[in-house]
Amino acid sequence: MTRPVALDNVAHADLRVALRHGAAYGDAVNQALLFPTEFAEAQRDFPILFRRDPAEGLQAIALLGLDRDENLFLDGDRWTSRHVPLSLQRGPFLIGLNPDGSAPVIQIDLDDPRVDAADGEPLFLPHGGQGRYLDHVGKILAAIHVGMSDAPPMYAAFDALGLIQPMALELLLDDERRYVIRDHEVLSAEKLAALGPDALDQLNRAGHLGTAFLLAASLGNMARLIERKNRAG
Protein backbone atom coordinates (compact mmCIF):
# COMPACT_ATOMS: atom_id res chain seq x y z
CA MET A 1 0.00 0.00 0.00
CA THR A 2 1.24 3.47 -0.85
CA ARG A 3 1.08 6.36 1.54
CA PRO A 4 -2.61 7.23 2.03
CA VAL A 5 -3.93 10.73 1.40
CA ALA A 6 -6.62 12.67 3.22
CA LEU A 7 -9.99 12.42 1.50
CA ASP A 8 -11.01 15.79 0.05
CA ASN A 9 -14.49 16.64 -1.26
CA VAL A 10 -13.01 18.92 -3.93
CA ALA A 11 -10.00 16.94 -5.16
CA HIS A 12 -11.94 13.68 -4.92
CA ALA A 13 -15.40 14.95 -5.87
CA ASP A 14 -15.86 12.36 -8.64
CA LEU A 15 -14.10 9.48 -6.92
CA ARG A 16 -15.85 6.11 -6.78
CA VAL A 17 -14.97 3.06 -4.70
CA ALA A 18 -16.21 -0.46 -5.37
CA LEU A 19 -17.77 -2.57 -2.61
CA ARG A 20 -15.73 -5.72 -3.12
CA HIS A 21 -14.43 -8.56 -0.99
CA GLY A 22 -12.18 -11.48 -1.82
CA ALA A 23 -8.63 -12.78 -1.70
CA ALA A 24 -7.45 -10.03 -4.05
CA TYR A 25 -8.47 -7.42 -1.48
CA GLY A 26 -6.81 -8.89 1.57
CA ASP A 27 -9.65 -11.06 2.90
CA ALA A 28 -7.78 -14.37 2.54
CA VAL A 29 -6.31 -14.33 6.06
CA ASN A 30 -6.66 -16.79 8.91
CA GLN A 31 -7.04 -14.10 11.56
CA ALA A 32 -8.19 -10.49 11.69
CA LEU A 33 -7.71 -7.72 14.22
CA LEU A 34 -10.79 -6.98 16.33
CA PHE A 35 -11.79 -3.99 18.46
CA PRO A 36 -13.96 -3.88 21.60
CA THR A 37 -16.64 -1.95 19.73
CA GLU A 38 -17.40 -5.07 17.62
CA PHE A 39 -17.03 -7.84 20.21
CA ALA A 40 -20.79 -8.25 20.66
CA GLU A 41 -21.23 -8.98 16.94
CA ALA A 42 -17.96 -10.84 16.38
CA GLN A 43 -18.42 -13.32 19.25
CA ARG A 44 -21.47 -14.79 17.51
CA ASP A 45 -19.29 -16.04 14.64
CA PHE A 46 -15.63 -16.26 15.58
CA PRO A 47 -13.40 -17.56 18.36
CA ILE A 48 -11.75 -14.45 19.81
CA LEU A 49 -8.12 -14.90 20.87
CA PHE A 50 -5.39 -12.55 22.03
CA ARG A 51 -1.82 -12.06 20.90
CA ARG A 52 0.93 -9.93 22.39
CA ASP A 53 2.55 -7.72 19.79
CA PRO A 54 5.98 -6.35 20.76
CA ALA A 55 5.04 -2.89 19.49
CA GLU A 56 1.26 -2.73 19.96
CA GLY A 57 0.84 -4.80 23.13
CA LEU A 58 -2.16 -7.04 23.71
CA GLN A 59 -4.46 -7.32 20.68
CA ALA A 60 -7.70 -9.23 20.10
CA ILE A 61 -8.09 -11.26 16.93
CA ALA A 62 -10.83 -13.27 15.25
CA LEU A 63 -9.69 -16.75 14.25
CA LEU A 64 -10.91 -17.23 10.68
CA GLY A 65 -9.02 -20.33 9.57
CA LEU A 66 -6.46 -22.94 10.56
CA ASP A 67 -4.04 -22.92 7.63
CA ARG A 68 -2.02 -20.00 6.33
CA ASP A 69 -4.08 -17.55 4.25
CA GLU A 70 -7.23 -19.56 4.97
CA ASN A 71 -10.47 -17.72 5.66
CA LEU A 72 -13.19 -20.31 6.20
CA PHE A 73 -15.81 -17.53 6.22
CA LEU A 74 -14.96 -16.35 2.71
CA ASP A 75 -16.69 -17.93 -0.28
CA GLY A 76 -15.14 -16.36 -3.37
CA ASP A 77 -16.12 -12.70 -3.14
CA ARG A 78 -18.68 -13.21 -0.38
CA TRP A 79 -18.43 -13.44 3.41
CA THR A 80 -20.62 -16.17 4.91
CA SER A 81 -20.43 -14.87 8.49
CA ARG A 82 -22.98 -12.50 9.97
CA HIS A 83 -20.22 -10.08 10.95
CA VAL A 84 -17.17 -8.97 8.97
CA PRO A 85 -14.28 -7.68 11.12
CA LEU A 86 -14.07 -3.89 10.93
CA SER A 87 -10.39 -4.10 10.01
CA LEU A 88 -11.46 -5.85 6.79
CA GLN A 89 -14.72 -3.92 6.27
CA ARG A 90 -12.89 -0.61 5.98
CA GLY A 91 -11.59 -1.36 2.47
CA PRO A 92 -9.10 1.22 1.18
CA PHE A 93 -9.97 3.72 3.93
CA LEU A 94 -7.94 4.54 7.03
CA ILE A 95 -7.99 6.88 10.00
CA GLY A 96 -5.48 9.70 9.89
CA LEU A 97 -4.83 12.92 11.76
CA ASN A 98 -4.98 16.50 10.60
CA PRO A 99 -1.52 18.04 10.24
CA ASP A 100 -2.11 19.94 13.49
CA GLY A 101 -3.21 16.71 15.20
CA SER A 102 -6.57 18.24 16.11
CA ALA A 103 -8.96 15.56 14.91
CA PRO A 104 -9.07 12.28 13.00
CA VAL A 105 -9.71 12.44 9.27
CA ILE A 106 -10.61 9.85 6.65
CA GLN A 107 -7.71 8.81 4.47
CA ILE A 108 -7.76 6.69 1.32
CA ASP A 109 -5.24 4.55 -0.53
CA LEU A 110 -5.65 5.75 -4.11
CA ASP A 111 -3.68 2.78 -5.47
CA ASP A 112 -6.16 0.24 -4.09
CA PRO A 113 -7.82 -1.59 -7.04
CA ARG A 114 -11.28 -0.82 -5.62
CA VAL A 115 -10.68 2.93 -6.07
CA ASP A 116 -12.04 4.46 -9.29
CA ALA A 117 -13.46 1.12 -10.37
CA ALA A 118 -16.17 1.21 -13.03
CA ASP A 119 -18.68 -0.36 -10.66
CA GLY A 120 -17.73 1.91 -7.77
CA GLU A 121 -20.05 3.82 -5.46
CA PRO A 122 -19.74 7.63 -5.49
CA LEU A 123 -18.21 9.03 -2.32
CA PHE A 124 -19.71 12.48 -2.70
CA LEU A 125 -23.07 13.73 -3.96
CA PRO A 126 -23.18 15.77 -7.20
CA HIS A 127 -24.11 18.99 -5.37
CA GLY A 128 -22.00 18.41 -2.28
CA GLY A 129 -22.25 16.29 0.81
CA GLN A 130 -21.26 12.71 1.48
CA GLY A 131 -22.77 9.76 -0.32
CA ARG A 132 -24.29 6.78 1.52
CA TYR A 133 -21.18 4.65 1.12
CA LEU A 134 -18.91 7.30 2.62
CA ASP A 135 -21.36 7.71 5.50
CA HIS A 136 -21.08 3.96 6.08
CA VAL A 137 -17.29 4.10 5.94
CA GLY A 138 -17.31 6.96 8.43
CA LYS A 139 -19.26 4.83 10.91
CA ILE A 140 -16.83 1.93 10.48
CA LEU A 141 -13.79 4.14 11.02
CA ALA A 142 -15.44 5.83 14.01
CA ALA A 143 -16.03 2.41 15.60
CA ILE A 144 -12.39 1.49 14.97
CA HIS A 145 -11.22 4.80 16.43
CA VAL A 146 -13.29 4.36 19.60
CA GLY A 147 -12.24 0.71 19.82
CA MET A 148 -8.58 1.65 19.64
CA SER A 149 -9.09 3.95 22.64
CA ASP A 150 -11.16 1.44 24.61
CA ALA A 151 -8.85 -1.53 24.12
CA PRO A 152 -5.77 -0.65 26.24
CA PRO A 153 -7.57 0.02 29.56
CA MET A 154 -9.93 -2.91 29.03
CA TYR A 155 -7.17 -5.40 28.25
CA ALA A 156 -5.05 -4.04 31.11
CA ALA A 157 -7.96 -4.65 33.50
CA PHE A 158 -8.34 -8.23 32.28
CA ASP A 159 -4.59 -8.78 32.50
CA ALA A 160 -4.35 -7.36 36.02
CA LEU A 161 -6.92 -9.90 37.23
CA GLY A 162 -5.15 -12.79 35.51
CA LEU A 163 -8.00 -13.42 33.08
CA ILE A 164 -5.84 -13.49 29.94
CA GLN A 165 -4.11 -16.86 29.90
CA PRO A 166 -1.63 -18.43 27.44
CA MET A 167 -3.09 -21.54 25.91
CA ALA A 168 -2.00 -24.01 23.25
CA LEU A 169 -5.20 -24.99 21.50
CA GLU A 170 -5.08 -28.51 20.08
CA LEU A 171 -7.75 -29.20 17.49
CA LEU A 172 -8.41 -32.71 16.18
CA LEU A 173 -10.31 -32.68 12.91
CA ASP A 174 -10.12 -36.42 12.31
CA ASP A 175 -7.70 -39.30 12.79
CA GLU A 176 -5.13 -37.74 10.45
CA ARG A 177 -5.44 -33.96 10.82
CA ARG A 178 -4.33 -32.21 13.98
CA TYR A 179 -3.77 -28.49 14.51
CA VAL A 180 -2.03 -26.79 17.43
CA ILE A 181 -2.54 -23.03 17.80
CA ARG A 182 0.35 -21.56 19.76
CA ASP A 183 1.51 -18.06 20.74
CA HIS A 184 -2.03 -16.93 21.48
CA GLU A 185 -3.95 -16.33 24.68
CA VAL A 186 -7.60 -16.51 25.66
CA LEU A 187 -9.86 -14.97 28.24
CA SER A 188 -10.26 -17.90 30.61
CA ALA A 189 -13.83 -18.83 31.53
CA GLU A 190 -12.47 -20.68 34.56
CA LYS A 191 -10.55 -17.66 35.84
CA LEU A 192 -13.58 -15.45 35.23
CA ALA A 193 -15.86 -17.81 37.18
CA ALA A 194 -13.38 -17.85 40.07
CA LEU A 195 -13.29 -14.06 40.53
CA GLY A 196 -14.40 -12.79 43.91
CA PRO A 197 -17.12 -10.16 44.43
CA ASP A 198 -14.66 -7.26 44.66
CA ALA A 199 -12.99 -8.12 41.35
CA LEU A 200 -16.36 -8.64 39.65
CA ASP A 201 -17.57 -5.29 40.96
CA GLN A 202 -14.37 -3.66 39.73
CA LEU A 203 -14.93 -5.01 36.22
CA ASN A 204 -18.60 -4.11 36.30
CA ARG A 205 -17.96 -0.52 37.37
CA ALA A 206 -15.45 -0.13 34.56
CA GLY A 207 -17.98 -1.50 32.07
CA HIS A 208 -15.85 -4.53 31.20
CA LEU A 209 -17.70 -7.40 32.87
CA GLY A 210 -20.19 -8.07 30.08
CA THR A 211 -17.37 -8.00 27.54
CA ALA A 212 -15.40 -10.53 29.58
CA PHE A 213 -18.29 -12.99 29.39
CA LEU A 214 -18.63 -12.41 25.63
CA LEU A 215 -14.93 -13.14 25.06
CA ALA A 216 -15.06 -16.30 27.14
CA ALA A 217 -18.21 -17.48 25.34
CA SER A 218 -16.67 -16.85 21.90
CA LEU A 219 -14.42 -19.89 22.33
CA GLY A 220 -17.50 -22.03 21.84
CA ASN A 221 -17.21 -21.08 18.15
CA MET A 222 -14.10 -23.26 17.89
CA ALA A 223 -16.31 -26.32 17.29
CA ARG A 224 -18.12 -24.47 14.48
CA LEU A 225 -14.77 -23.49 12.96
CA ILE A 226 -13.77 -27.16 12.91
CA GLU A 227 -17.08 -27.99 11.20
CA ARG A 228 -16.32 -25.40 8.51
CA LYS A 229 -12.83 -26.82 8.08
CA ASN A 230 -14.17 -30.35 7.68
CA ARG A 231 -16.69 -29.19 5.09
CA ALA A 232 -13.95 -27.36 3.20
CA GLY A 233 -11.90 -30.57 3.07
Side-chain angles (χ1 to χ4, degrees), residues 1 7 16 45 75 82-84 94 106 110 115 125 139-140 153-154 178 181 183 195:
M1 186 181 73
L7 196 61
R16 290 174 173 264
D45 290 308
D75 181 10
R82 288 164 291 186
H83 179 69
V84 177
L94 304 93
I106 297 178
L110 295 175
V115 175
L125 300 175
K139 292 175 183 176
I140 292 172
M154 177 182 291
R178 171 177 170 269
I181 301 172
D183 302 322
L195 288 180

Side-chain angles (χ1 to χ4, degrees), residues 177-200:
R177 291 184 296 171
R178 171 177 170 269
Y179 290 85
V180 178
I181 301 172
R182 296 188 176 92
D183 302 322
H184 286 77
E185 302 179 50
V186 298
L187 193 141
S188 169
E190 292 78 12
K191 292 287 185 180
L192 181 59
L195 288 180
D198 290 344
L200 290 171

